[in-house]
Coordinates of all heavy atoms in Angstrom, one line a residue:
M1 N -100.0 36.0 11.5 CA -100.1 37.4 11.2 C -99.6 37.7 9.8 O -98.6 37.4 9.5 CB -99.4 38.2 12.3 CG -99.8 37.9 13.7 SD -98.4 38.5 14.9 CE -98.7 40.3 14.8
K2 N -100.5 38.5 9.1 CA -100.1 38.8 7.7 C -99.8 40.3 7.6 O -100.3 41.1 8.3 CB -101.3 38.6 6.8 CG -101.7 37.1 6.6 CD -102.6 36.9 5.5 CE -103.1 35.5 5.5 NZ -102.3 34.6 4.5
Y3 N -98.8 40.6 6.8 CA -98.2 41.9 6.5 C -98.1 42.0 5.2 O -97.7 41.2 4.3 CB -96.8 42.0 7.1 CG -96.9 41.8 8.6 CD1 -96.7 40.6 9.2 CD2 -96.9 43.0 9.5 CE1 -96.8 40.5 10.7 CE2 -96.8 42.8 10.9 CZ -96.9 41.6 11.3 OH -96.7 41.4 12.8
M4 N -98.4 43.3 4.6 CA -98.0 43.8 3.3 C -96.7 44.5 3.4 O -96.6 45.5 4.4 CB -99.1 44.6 2.7 CG -98.7 45.3 1.4 SD -100.1 46.3 0.8 CE -99.9 47.7 1.9
V5 N -95.8 44.3 2.6 CA -94.4 45.0 2.6 C -94.2 45.5 1.3 O -94.2 44.7 0.3 CB -93.3 44.1 3.1 CG1 -92.0 44.8 3.2 CG2 -93.6 43.3 4.5
Q6 N -94.0 46.9 1.2 CA -93.5 47.4 -0.1 C -92.0 47.7 0.1 O -91.6 48.3 1.1 CB -94.2 48.7 -0.4 CG -93.8 49.2 -1.7 CD -94.6 50.4 -2.2 OE1 -95.8 50.6 -1.8 NE2 -94.0 51.3 -3.0
M7 N -91.2 47.1 -0.8 CA -89.8 47.2 -0.9 C -89.4 48.0 -2.1 O -89.7 47.6 -3.3 CB -89.1 45.8 -0.9 CG -89.5 44.8 0.1 SD -88.7 43.2 0.0 CE -89.9 42.2 0.8
T8 N -88.6 48.9 -2.0 CA -88.0 49.8 -3.1 C -86.6 49.7 -3.0 O -85.8 49.9 -2.0 CB -88.5 51.3 -3.0 OG1 -89.9 51.3 -3.0 CG2 -87.9 52.0 -4.2
V9 N -86.0 49.1 -4.2 CA -84.6 49.0 -4.3 C -84.0 50.2 -4.8 O -84.2 50.8 -5.8 CB -84.2 47.8 -5.3 CG1 -82.7 47.4 -5.2 CG2 -85.1 46.5 -4.9
N10 N -82.9 50.6 -4.1 CA -82.0 51.6 -4.5 C -80.6 51.2 -4.8 O -79.7 51.0 -3.9 CB -81.8 52.7 -3.2 CG -83.2 53.1 -2.8 OD1 -84.1 53.5 -3.7 ND2 -83.6 52.8 -1.5
P11 N -80.4 50.7 -6.0 CA -79.0 50.2 -6.3 C -77.9 51.1 -6.2 O -78.0 52.3 -6.5 CB -79.2 49.8 -7.8 CG -80.6 49.8 -8.1 CD -81.2 50.7 -7.2
P12 N -76.7 50.7 -5.5 CA -75.6 51.6 -5.3 C -75.0 52.0 -6.5 O -75.0 51.2 -7.5 CB -74.7 50.7 -4.4 CG -75.0 49.4 -4.8 CD -76.5 49.4 -5.0
K13 N -74.6 53.2 -6.7 CA -74.1 53.6 -7.9 C -72.6 53.2 -8.3 O -72.3 53.0 -9.4 CB -74.1 55.2 -8.1 CG -75.5 55.8 -7.9 CD -75.6 57.2 -8.3 CE -76.9 57.9 -8.1 NZ -78.1 57.0 -7.9
D14 N -72.0 52.8 -7.2 CA -70.5 52.6 -7.3 C -70.1 51.0 -7.0 O -68.9 50.7 -7.0 CB -69.7 53.4 -6.3 CG -70.2 53.2 -4.9 OD1 -71.2 52.5 -4.7 OD2 -69.6 53.8 -4.0
M15 N -71.1 50.1 -7.0 CA -70.7 48.8 -6.9 C -70.3 48.1 -8.2 O -70.9 48.3 -9.2 CB -72.0 48.0 -6.2 CG -71.7 46.6 -5.8 SD -73.0 45.7 -5.1 CE -73.0 46.6 -3.4
D16 N -69.4 47.1 -8.0 CA -69.0 46.3 -9.1 C -70.1 45.6 -9.6 O -70.9 44.8 -8.8 CB -67.8 45.4 -8.6 CG -67.5 44.4 -9.6 OD1 -67.1 44.8 -10.7 OD2 -67.8 43.1 -9.4
P17 N -70.4 45.6 -10.9 CA -71.6 44.9 -11.5 C -71.8 43.4 -11.1 O -72.9 42.9 -11.0 CB -71.6 45.2 -13.0 CG -70.7 46.3 -13.1 CD -69.7 46.3 -11.9
Q18 N -70.5 42.7 -11.1 CA -70.6 41.3 -10.7 C -71.0 41.1 -9.4 O -71.7 40.1 -9.0 CB -69.2 40.7 -11.0 CG -69.0 40.2 -12.5 CD -67.7 39.4 -12.6 OE1 -66.7 39.8 -11.9 NE2 -67.7 38.4 -13.4
E19 N -70.5 42.0 -8.5 CA -70.9 41.9 -7.0 C -72.4 42.1 -6.9 O -73.1 41.4 -6.1 CB -70.2 43.0 -6.2 CG -70.3 42.7 -4.7 CD -69.5 43.9 -3.9 OE1 -68.6 44.5 -4.5 OE2 -69.8 44.1 -2.8
W20 N -73.0 43.1 -7.7 CA -74.4 43.3 -7.6 C -75.2 42.2 -8.1 O -76.1 41.7 -7.5 CB -74.7 44.6 -8.5 CG -76.2 45.0 -8.5 CD1 -77.0 45.0 -9.4 CD2 -76.9 45.5 -7.3 NE1 -78.3 45.4 -9.1 CE2 -78.2 45.7 -7.7 CE3 -76.6 45.7 -6.0 CZ2 -79.2 46.1 -7.0 CZ3 -77.6 46.2 -5.3 CH2 -78.8 46.4 -5.7
Q21 N -74.7 41.5 -9.2 CA -75.4 40.3 -9.7 C -75.4 39.1 -8.6 O -76.3 38.4 -8.6 CB -74.8 39.8 -11.1 CG -75.1 40.8 -12.2 CD -76.6 41.0 -12.4 OE1 -77.4 40.0 -12.4 NE2 -77.0 42.3 -12.6
E22 N -74.3 39.0 -8.0 CA -74.1 38.1 -6.8 C -75.2 38.2 -5.8 O -75.8 37.3 -5.2 CB -72.7 37.8 -6.4 CG -72.6 37.0 -5.2 CD -73.0 35.5 -5.5 OE1 -73.2 35.2 -6.6 OE2 -73.0 34.7 -4.5
I23 N -75.4 39.5 -5.4 CA -76.3 39.9 -4.3 C -77.8 39.7 -4.8 O -78.5 39.0 -4.1 CB -76.2 41.3 -4.0 CG1 -74.9 41.6 -3.3 CG2 -77.3 41.8 -3.1 CD1 -74.6 43.1 -3.1
L24 N -78.1 39.9 -6.2 CA -79.3 39.6 -6.7 C -79.6 38.1 -6.7 O -80.7 37.6 -6.5 CB -79.6 40.1 -8.2 CG -79.5 41.7 -8.2 CD1 -79.6 42.1 -9.7 CD2 -80.7 42.3 -7.4
R25 N -78.5 37.3 -7.0 CA -78.8 35.9 -7.0 C -79.0 35.3 -5.6 O -79.9 34.5 -5.3 CB -77.4 35.2 -7.5 CG -77.5 33.7 -7.8 CD -76.2 33.0 -7.9 NE -75.4 33.1 -6.6 CZ -75.6 32.4 -5.5 NH1 -76.6 31.5 -5.5 NH2 -74.8 32.6 -4.5
R26 N -78.3 35.8 -4.6 CA -78.4 35.4 -3.2 C -80.0 35.9 -2.7 O -80.6 35.2 -2.0 CB -77.4 35.9 -2.4 CG -76.1 35.3 -2.5 CD -75.1 35.5 -1.4 NE -74.6 36.9 -1.4 CZ -74.9 37.8 -0.4 NH1 -75.6 37.4 0.6 NH2 -74.5 39.0 -0.5
E27 N -80.4 37.1 -3.3 CA -81.6 37.7 -2.8 C -82.8 36.7 -3.3 O -83.7 36.3 -2.6 CB -81.8 39.0 -3.6 CG -83.2 39.7 -3.3 CD -83.2 40.4 -2.0 OE1 -82.2 40.3 -1.3 OE2 -84.3 40.9 -1.7
K28 N -82.6 36.2 -4.5 CA -83.7 35.3 -5.0 C -83.7 34.0 -4.4 O -84.8 33.4 -3.9 CB -83.4 35.0 -6.6 CG -84.4 34.2 -7.3 CD -84.1 34.2 -8.8 CE -85.1 33.5 -9.5 NZ -84.8 33.4 -11.0
E29 N -82.5 33.5 -4.0 CA -82.4 32.1 -3.2 C -83.0 32.4 -1.8 O -83.8 31.5 -1.4 CB -80.9 31.8 -3.2 CG -80.6 30.4 -2.6 CD -79.2 30.3 -2.6 OE1 -78.3 30.8 -1.8 OE2 -78.6 29.6 -3.5
Y30 N -82.6 33.4 -1.1 CA -83.2 33.7 0.3 C -84.7 33.9 0.2 O -85.4 33.2 1.0 CB -82.4 34.9 0.7 CG -82.9 35.4 2.1 CD1 -82.3 34.9 3.2 CD2 -83.9 36.3 2.3 CE1 -82.6 35.3 4.5 CE2 -84.2 36.7 3.7 CZ -83.6 36.1 4.8 OH -83.9 36.5 6.0
G31 N -85.2 34.6 -0.7 CA -86.7 34.8 -0.8 C -87.3 33.6 -1.1 O -88.5 33.3 -0.4
Q32 N -86.9 32.8 -2.0 CA -87.5 31.6 -2.5 C -87.6 30.7 -1.4 O -88.6 29.8 -1.2 CB -87.0 31.0 -3.7 CG -87.3 32.0 -4.8 CD -86.8 31.3 -6.2 OE1 -85.9 30.6 -6.2 NE2 -87.4 31.9 -7.4
A33 N -86.6 30.6 -0.4 CA -86.7 29.7 0.8 C -87.8 30.0 1.6 O -88.5 29.1 2.1 CB -85.3 29.8 1.6
F34 N -88.2 31.3 1.8 CA -89.4 31.5 2.6 C -90.7 31.5 1.8 O -91.8 31.3 2.5 CB -89.3 33.1 3.2 CG -88.1 33.1 4.3 CD1 -86.9 33.7 3.9 CD2 -88.5 32.6 5.6 CE1 -86.0 33.7 4.9 CE2 -87.3 32.7 6.4 CZ -86.1 33.3 6.2
M35 N -90.6 31.5 0.5 CA -91.8 31.2 -0.3 C -92.1 29.7 -0.1 O -93.3 29.3 0.0 CB -91.6 31.4 -1.8 CG -91.4 33.0 -2.0 SD -91.0 33.4 -3.8 CE -90.6 35.1 -3.6
K36 N -91.1 28.9 -0.2 CA -91.3 27.4 0.0 C -91.8 27.0 1.3 O -92.7 26.2 1.4 CB -89.9 26.7 -0.3 CG -89.7 26.7 -1.8 CD -88.2 26.1 -2.1 CE -87.9 26.3 -3.7 NZ -86.5 26.2 -4.0
N37 N -91.5 27.8 2.4 CA -92.0 27.4 3.7 C -93.3 28.1 4.1 O -93.8 28.0 5.1 CB -90.9 27.5 4.9 CG -90.6 28.9 5.2 OD1 -91.3 29.9 4.9 ND2 -89.6 29.2 5.8
G38 N -93.8 28.8 3.0 CA -95.2 29.5 3.3 C -95.2 30.8 4.0 O -96.2 31.5 4.2
K39 N -94.0 31.3 4.5 CA -94.0 32.6 5.1 C -94.0 33.7 4.2 O -94.5 34.9 4.5 CB -92.8 32.7 6.0 CG -92.9 31.7 7.2 CD -91.8 31.8 8.2 CE -91.8 30.6 9.2 NZ -92.9 31.1 10.2
F40 N -93.6 33.6 3.0 CA -93.5 34.6 2.0 C -94.5 34.1 0.8 O -94.2 33.4 0.0 CB -92.0 34.7 1.4 CG -91.7 36.0 0.6 CD1 -90.4 36.1 0.1 CD2 -92.7 36.9 0.2 CE1 -90.1 37.2 -0.6 CE2 -92.5 38.0 -0.8 CZ -91.1 38.2 -1.0
Q41 N -95.7 34.8 0.9 CA -96.9 34.1 0.1 C -97.0 34.8 -1.1 O -97.6 34.1 -2.1 CB -98.1 34.3 0.9 CG -98.1 33.4 2.3 CD -99.4 33.5 2.9 OE1 -100.2 34.4 2.8 NE2 -99.6 32.3 3.7
H42 N -96.7 36.1 -1.4 CA -96.9 36.7 -2.7 C -95.6 37.7 -2.9 O -95.3 38.4 -1.9 CB -98.2 37.5 -2.8 CG -99.3 36.7 -2.7 ND1 -100.0 35.9 -3.9 CD2 -100.1 36.3 -1.6 CE1 -101.0 35.2 -3.5 NE2 -101.1 35.4 -2.0
I43 N -95.4 37.8 -4.1 CA -94.6 39.0 -4.6 C -95.0 39.5 -5.9 O -95.0 38.7 -6.8 CB -93.0 38.7 -4.4 CG1 -92.2 40.0 -4.8 CG2 -92.7 37.6 -5.4 CD1 -90.7 39.8 -4.4
W44 N -95.2 40.9 -6.0 CA -95.6 41.5 -7.3 C -94.7 42.6 -7.6 O -94.4 43.4 -6.6 CB -97.1 41.9 -7.2 CG -98.0 40.7 -7.1 CD1 -98.5 40.3 -6.0 CD2 -98.6 40.0 -8.1 NE1 -99.4 39.2 -6.1 CE2 -99.5 39.1 -7.5 CE3 -98.5 40.0 -9.4 CZ2 -100.1 38.1 -8.3 CZ3 -99.2 39.1 -10.2 CH2 -100.1 38.2 -9.6
R45 N -94.3 42.7 -8.8 CA -93.5 43.8 -9.3 C -94.4 45.0 -9.3 O -95.5 44.8 -9.8 CB -92.9 43.5 -10.5 CG -92.1 44.6 -11.2 CD -90.8 45.1 -10.3 NE -89.6 44.2 -10.5 CZ -88.9 43.9 -9.3 NH1 -89.2 44.5 -8.1 NH2 -87.8 43.2 -9.5
I46 N -94.0 46.2 -8.9 CA -94.8 47.3 -9.1 C -94.4 48.0 -10.5 O -93.2 48.1 -10.8 CB -94.5 48.5 -8.0 CG1 -95.0 47.8 -6.7 CG2 -95.2 49.8 -8.5 CD1 -94.7 48.8 -5.6
V47 N -95.3 48.1 -11.4 CA -95.0 48.4 -12.8 C -94.2 49.6 -12.9 O -94.6 50.7 -12.2 CB -96.3 48.4 -13.7 CG1 -96.0 49.0 -15.1 CG2 -96.9 47.0 -13.7
G48 N -93.2 49.6 -13.6 CA -92.3 50.8 -13.8 C -91.4 51.3 -12.8 O -90.7 52.3 -12.9
E49 N -91.3 50.5 -11.7 CA -90.4 50.8 -10.6 C -89.5 49.6 -10.2 O -90.1 48.4 -10.5 CB -91.3 51.1 -9.3 CG -92.1 52.4 -9.5 CD -92.9 52.8 -8.2 OE1 -92.3 52.5 -7.1 OE2 -93.8 53.2 -8.3
F50 N -88.3 49.8 -9.7 CA -87.6 48.7 -9.1 C -88.1 48.5 -7.7 O -87.4 48.8 -6.6 CB -86.2 49.0 -9.2 CG -85.1 47.8 -8.9 CD1 -83.8 47.9 -9.0 CD2 -85.6 46.6 -8.5 CE1 -83.0 46.8 -8.8 CE2 -84.8 45.5 -8.5 CZ -83.4 45.7 -8.5
A51 N -89.3 47.9 -7.6 CA -90.0 47.9 -6.3 C -91.0 46.7 -6.4 O -91.4 46.3 -7.5 CB -90.7 49.2 -6.0
N52 N -91.4 46.2 -5.2 CA -92.4 45.2 -5.1 C -93.3 45.4 -4.0 O -93.1 46.1 -3.0 CB -91.7 43.8 -5.1 CG -91.1 43.6 -3.7 OD1 -91.8 43.3 -2.7 ND2 -89.7 43.6 -3.5
V53 N -94.5 44.7 -4.2 CA -95.4 44.6 -3.0 C -95.4 43.0 -2.6 O -95.6 42.2 -3.6 CB -96.8 45.0 -3.3 CG1 -97.8 44.6 -2.3 CG2 -96.9 46.6 -3.5
S54 N -95.2 42.7 -1.5 CA -95.1 41.4 -1.0 C -96.0 41.1 0.3 O -96.4 42.1 1.0 CB -93.6 41.1 -0.4 OG -92.7 41.2 -1.6
I55 N -96.5 39.9 0.4 CA -97.3 39.5 1.5 C -96.5 38.4 2.2 O -96.2 37.4 1.7 CB -98.7 38.9 1.0 CG1 -99.4 39.9 0.1 CG2 -99.5 38.4 2.3 CD1 -99.9 41.2 0.9
F56 N -96.4 38.6 3.6 CA -95.8 37.6 4.4 C -96.8 37.2 5.5 O -97.7 37.9 5.8 CB -94.7 38.4 5.3 CG -93.5 38.6 4.4 CD1 -93.5 39.8 3.5 CD2 -92.5 37.7 4.3 CE1 -92.3 40.0 2.8 CE2 -91.2 38.0 3.5 CZ -91.2 39.1 2.7
D57 N -96.7 35.9 5.9 CA -97.5 35.3 6.9 C -96.5 34.7 8.0 O -95.9 33.7 7.8 CB -98.5 34.2 6.3 CG -99.5 33.7 7.4 OD1 -99.5 34.2 8.5 OD2 -100.2 32.8 7.0
V58 N -96.4 35.5 9.0 CA -95.4 35.0 10.1 C -96.1 35.1 11.5 O -97.2 35.6 11.7 CB -94.1 36.1 10.0 CG1 -93.5 35.9 8.7 CG2 -94.6 37.5 10.2
E59 N -95.3 34.8 12.4 CA -95.8 34.6 13.9 C -95.8 35.9 14.7 O -96.6 36.2 15.6 CB -94.9 33.7 14.7 CG -95.0 32.2 14.2 CD -96.6 31.6 14.1 OE1 -97.2 31.9 15.2 OE2 -96.9 31.0 13.2
S60 N -94.9 36.9 14.2 CA -94.8 38.0 15.1 C -94.1 39.2 14.3 O -93.4 38.9 13.2 CB -93.9 37.8 16.3 OG -92.5 37.3 15.9
N61 N -94.0 40.3 14.8 CA -93.4 41.5 14.3 C -91.8 41.2 14.3 O -91.1 41.4 13.3 CB -93.5 42.7 15.2 CG -94.8 43.4 15.1 OD1 -95.6 43.1 14.3 ND2 -95.1 44.2 16.0
D62 N -91.4 40.5 15.4 CA -89.9 40.2 15.4 C -89.5 39.1 14.3 O -88.4 39.2 13.8 CB -89.7 39.6 16.8 CG -89.6 40.6 18.0 OD1 -89.5 41.8 17.7 OD2 -89.8 40.2 19.1
E63 N -90.4 38.2 14.1 CA -90.0 37.2 13.0 C -90.0 38.0 11.8 O -89.0 37.8 10.9 CB -91.0 36.0 13.0 CG -90.6 35.1 11.9 CD -91.5 33.9 11.8 OE1 -92.7 34.0 12.2 OE2 -91.1 32.9 11.1
L64 N -91.0 38.9 11.4 CA -90.9 39.5 10.2 C -89.7 40.4 10.0 O -89.0 40.4 9.0 CB -92.2 40.4 10.1 CG -92.2 41.2 8.7 CD1 -92.4 40.2 7.5 CD2 -93.3 42.2 8.7
H65 N -89.3 41.1 11.1 CA -88.1 41.9 11.1 C -86.9 41.0 10.7 O -86.1 41.5 10.0 CB -87.9 42.7 12.3 CG -86.8 43.6 12.4 ND1 -86.8 44.8 11.6 CD2 -85.5 43.4 12.8 CE1 -85.5 45.4 11.7 NE2 -84.7 44.5 12.3
T66 N -86.8 39.9 11.4 CA -85.6 39.1 11.2 C -85.5 38.6 9.8 O -84.4 38.7 9.1 CB -85.7 37.9 12.2 OG1 -85.7 38.2 13.5 CG2 -84.5 36.9 12.0
I67 N -86.7 38.2 9.2 CA -86.8 37.8 7.8 C -86.3 39.0 6.8 O -85.4 39.0 6.0 CB -88.1 37.4 7.4 CG1 -88.3 35.9 8.0 CG2 -88.1 37.2 5.9 CD1 -89.8 35.4 7.9
L68 N -86.9 40.2 7.1 CA -86.6 41.4 6.2 C -85.0 41.8 6.4 O -84.5 42.1 5.3 CB -87.7 42.5 6.6 CG -89.0 42.2 6.3 CD1 -89.9 43.5 6.8 CD2 -89.3 41.7 4.9
A69 N -84.6 41.7 7.6 CA -83.3 42.2 7.8 C -82.3 41.2 7.2 O -81.1 41.5 6.9 CB -83.1 42.4 9.2
G70 N -82.8 40.0 6.9 CA -81.8 39.0 6.3 C -81.8 39.0 4.9 O -80.8 38.4 4.2
F71 N -82.6 39.8 4.2 CA -82.5 39.9 2.7 C -81.1 40.5 2.3 O -80.8 41.6 2.9 CB -83.6 40.8 2.2 CG -84.9 40.0 1.9 CD1 -86.0 40.2 2.7 CD2 -85.0 39.2 0.8 CE1 -87.1 39.5 2.4 CE2 -86.3 38.6 0.5 CZ -87.3 38.7 1.3
P72 N -80.4 39.8 1.4 CA -79.1 40.5 1.0 C -79.2 41.8 0.5 O -78.3 42.7 0.6 CB -78.6 39.5 -0.1 CG -79.3 38.1 0.3 CD -80.6 38.6 0.8
L73 N -80.4 42.2 0.0 CA -80.6 43.5 -0.5 C -81.0 44.6 0.6 O -81.3 45.6 0.3 CB -81.7 43.6 -1.7 CG -81.2 43.2 -3.1 CD1 -82.5 43.3 -4.0 CD2 -80.2 44.2 -3.6
F74 N -81.3 44.0 1.7 CA -81.8 44.9 2.9 C -81.1 46.2 2.9 O -81.7 47.3 3.1 CB -81.6 44.2 4.2 CG -82.3 45.0 5.4 CD1 -83.6 45.0 5.5 CD2 -81.5 45.5 6.3 CE1 -84.3 45.6 6.5 CE2 -82.0 46.2 7.4 CZ -83.4 46.3 7.5
P75 N -79.7 46.3 2.9 CA -79.0 47.6 3.0 C -79.4 48.6 1.8 O -79.1 49.8 2.0 CB -77.5 47.3 3.0 CG -77.5 45.8 3.2 CD -78.7 45.2 2.7
Y76 N -79.9 48.1 0.8 CA -80.2 48.8 -0.4 C -81.7 49.0 -0.7 O -82.1 49.3 -1.8 CB -79.5 48.2 -1.6 CG -78.1 47.8 -1.5 CD1 -77.7 46.5 -1.2 CD2 -77.1 48.7 -1.3 CE1 -76.4 46.1 -0.9 CE2 -75.7 48.4 -1.1 CZ -75.4 47.1 -0.8 OH -74.2 46.8 -0.6
M77 N -82.5 48.6 0.3 CA -84.0 48.9 0.1 C -84.5 49.8 1.1 O -84.2 49.7 2.4 CB -84.7 47.5 0.2 CG -84.3 46.5 -1.0 SD -85.5 45.1 -1.1 CE -84.9 44.0 0.3
D78 N -85.6 50.5 0.7 CA -86.6 51.2 1.6 C -87.7 50.3 1.8 O -88.1 49.7 0.8 CB -87.1 52.5 1.1 CG -85.9 53.6 1.0 OD1 -85.1 53.6 1.7 OD2 -85.9 54.3 -0.1
M79 N -88.1 50.0 3.0 CA -89.4 49.1 3.3 C -90.3 49.9 4.0 O -90.1 50.6 4.9 CB -88.9 47.9 4.0 CG -88.0 47.0 3.3 SD -87.7 45.5 4.1 CE -86.6 44.7 3.1
N80 N -91.6 49.5 3.7 CA -92.7 50.1 4.3 C -93.6 48.9 4.6 O -94.1 48.1 3.8 CB -93.5 51.0 3.3 CG -94.5 51.9 4.0 OD1 -95.5 51.4 4.5 ND2 -94.1 53.2 3.9
V81 N -93.9 48.7 6.0 CA -94.6 47.5 6.4 C -96.0 48.0 6.9 O -96.2 48.8 7.6 CB -93.9 46.8 7.4 CG1 -94.6 45.6 8.3 CG2 -92.5 46.4 7.1
T82 N -97.1 47.2 6.4 CA -98.4 47.4 6.8 C -99.1 46.1 7.5 O -99.0 45.1 6.7 CB -99.3 47.8 5.6 OG1 -98.6 49.0 5.1 CG2 -100.6 48.1 6.1
A83 N -99.5 46.1 8.7 CA -100.1 44.9 9.3 C -101.5 44.8 8.7 O -102.2 45.8 8.4 CB -100.2 45.1 10.8
L84 N -102.0 43.5 8.3 CA -103.2 43.3 7.8 C -104.1 42.5 8.7 O -103.7 41.7 9.4 CB -103.0 42.5 6.5 CG -102.1 43.1 5.4 CD1 -101.9 42.1 4.3 CD2 -102.7 44.4 4.9
A85 N -105.4 42.9 8.6 CA -106.5 42.1 9.4 C -107.5 41.6 8.4 O -107.6 42.1 7.2 CB -107.1 43.2 10.4
K86 N -108.2 40.7 8.9 CA -109.2 40.1 7.9 C -110.3 41.0 7.6 O -110.8 41.7 8.4 CB -109.8 38.9 8.6 CG -110.4 37.8 7.9 CD -110.9 36.6 8.6 CE -111.4 35.5 7.7 NZ -110.9 35.1 6.4
H87 N -110.8 41.0 6.3 CA -111.8 41.9 5.8 C -113.1 41.2 6.0 O -113.2 40.0 5.8 CB -111.5 42.2 4.3 CG -112.4 43.4 3.9 ND1 -113.9 43.3 3.7 CD2 -112.1 44.7 3.8 CE1 -114.4 44.3 3.3 NE2 -113.3 45.4 3.4
P88 N -114.2 41.9 6.5 CA -115.4 41.2 6.9 C -116.1 40.7 5.6 O -117.0 39.8 5.7 CB -116.2 42.3 7.5 CG -115.6 43.6 7.2 CD -114.1 43.3 7.0
S89 N -115.7 41.1 4.4 CA -116.4 40.7 3.2 C -115.7 39.6 2.5 O -116.0 38.9 1.4 CB -116.4 41.7 2.1 OG -117.2 42.8 2.6
A90 N -114.5 39.2 3.0 CA -113.7 38.0 2.5 C -114.4 36.7 2.5 O -115.0 36.5 3.6 CB -112.3 38.1 3.2
L91 N -114.2 35.9 1.5 CA -114.8 34.6 1.5 C -114.0 33.6 2.2 O -114.6 32.6 2.7 CB -115.1 34.2 0.0 CG -116.2 34.9 -0.7 CD1 -116.1 34.4 -2.1 CD2 -117.5 34.8 -0.2
N92 N -112.8 33.8 2.4 CA -112.0 32.8 3.2 C -110.9 33.6 4.0 O -110.7 34.7 3.9 CB -111.3 31.9 2.2 CG -110.7 32.5 1.0 OD1 -110.2 33.6 1.2 ND2 -110.5 31.8 -0.1
Ligands
MUC1 O1 -88.0 43.6 -5.9 C1 -87.0 43.1 -6.0 O2 -86.5 42.8 -6.9 C2 -86.2 43.0 -4.6 C3 -86.5 41.8 -4.0 C4 -87.1 41.6 -2.6 C5 -87.3 40.2 -2.5 C6 -87.0 39.7 -3.7 O3 -87.2 38.5 -3.8 O4 -86.6 40.5 -4.6

C-alpha cells in the first residue's frame, strides 16, 4: 500500500541547539533505514519550507503509523497522510 505523507517541521524555539542537531542526526539515520529496506521510497523537500513530501510503501495503516510515530522529529512535525491508488494511465 502506497501513501503520500507531507511532513512539516515546527522546530521548538527553546531547545538547546546541540540537542536539536542530535535529533536531526537521528532523524536522518532512522529515515534512511526505511529507505534501505524499501518502505520509504521517496523524499522531496518542498521549496521554501521546512517540509517534505514523502512516499511510503508499507503493508498497512498500522505499519505506516508505527514508522511515522518513530521518527525522532515526530513530536515536532505536522503530518498529512494520503492513501494512493494506481492511476489507469500509469505505465507501471
Ligand atoms: O523534512 C525534514 O527534514 C524532516 C524529515 C522527515 C524525515 C526525514 O528524513 O527528514
Side-chain angles (χ1 to χ4, degrees):
M1 300 166 73
K2 290 190 187 265
Y3 296 85
M4 176 180 71
V5 182
Q6 183 170 335
M7 307 181 206
T8 301
V9 184
N10 307 303
K13 297 190 185 349
D14 53 353
M15 186 179 284
D16 172 62
Q18 272 189 320
E19 190 181 342
W20 181 246
Q21 287 307 312
E22 175 59 14
I23 292 172
L24 294 179
R25 188 196 65 72
R26 290 194 291 115
E27 179 81 2
K28 186 171 181 175
E29 184 177 83
Y30 180 86
Q32 287 183 341
F34 290 103
M35 292 173 191
K36 286 175 186 158
N37 72 14
K39 292 184 184 289
F40 190 176
Q41 297 188 328
H42 296 275
I43 183 167
W44 293 94
R45 178 64 77 217
I46 297 175
V47 173
E49 297 181 29
F50 194 174
N52 71 72
V53 169
S54 293
I55 302 293
F56 288 84
D57 188 0
V58 295
E59 295 300 319
S60 65
N61 291 345
D62 287 342
E63 184 183 13
L64 181 64
H65 183 77
T66 299
I67 292 170
L68 296 180
F71 273 104
L73 280 179
F74 184 74
Y76 311 105
M77 292 198 283
D78 293 322
M79 293 193 181
N80 197 295
V81 177
T82 305
L84 301 175
K86 201 166 174 56
H87 193 285
S89 301
L91 290 176
N92 51 26

